[in-house]
Amino acid sequence: MSRDARIELDWADGTYAFRLGWGQLGELQEKTDAGPYVVLNRLHSGQWRVEDVSNVIRLGLIGGGMAPADSLKKVRTYVEARPPMENVPVAQAVLAAGLIGAPEEKLGEAEGEAENDSTTSPTENFE
């Protein structure tokens, strides 16, 4: 099962879809002169640059389906005109989802596996 990189977040003036696909991750790398994991590490360690925050959110909105011009307007209004720390958690969530998948999906469980209440161990059937 593949993990979807799309997440929906309550941000700015509504709920928006964010997704960083291969193309957006490549553009992020060009814009920040750093690999996506380096940017994620900077966002978590407090060593981020303002461009890290704004580019992750802008590219995430584009990947989520928003028109580039609209995403730029949103970023100018709700990122660049606000204190930078307000949007660091959003950038962290968007980039993490782009690199490892959406957080609400449980790794290693097939659909329906989590709801299985069976308490029988796999070896009990062979005794």
Side-chain angles (χ1 to χ4, degrees):
M1 171 180 2
S2 67
R3 294 180 49 90
D4 187 8
R6 179 182 302 269
I7 59 171
E8 286 194 8
L9 297 174
D10 291 334
W11 173 76
D13 59 357
T15 302
Y16 294 94
F18 294 86
R19 182 178 182 279
L20 289 172
W22 195 264
Q24 288 84 28
L25 290 170
E27 187 173 342
L28 176 66
Q29 187 167 279
E30 290 175 20
K31 297 284 187 190
T32 60
D33 195 30
Y37 194 77
V38 171
V39 175
L40 183 62
N41 187 45
R42 291 194 307 222
L43 289 168
H44 281 289
S45 70
Q47 302 297 312
W48 49 267
R49 301 170 183 174
V50 291
E51 293 83 9
D52 294 341
V53 177
S54 62
N55 279 303
V56 166
I57 293 173
R58 183 181 62 79
L59 292 167
L61 287 167
I62 293 168
M66 186 177 286
D70 293 339
S71 70
L72 184 58
K73 287 179 190 174
K74 291 284 184 201
V75 166
R76 285 182 176 160
T77 302
Y78 296 106
V79 178
E80 294 173 0
R82 306 286 311 153
M85 287 296 293
E86 263 184 31
N87 286 290
V88 170
V90 175
Q92 290 170 338
V94 170
L95 186 50
L99 293 174
I100 61 174
E104 63 273 359
E105 183 178 330
K106 295 178 182 173
L107 284 176
E109 292 184 1
E111 274 188 47
E113 199 173 297
E115 293 111 23
N116 186 353
D117 289 338
S118 175
T119 56
T120 306
S121 78
T123 57
E124 285 181 19
N125 293 332
F126 297 107
E127 293 177 7

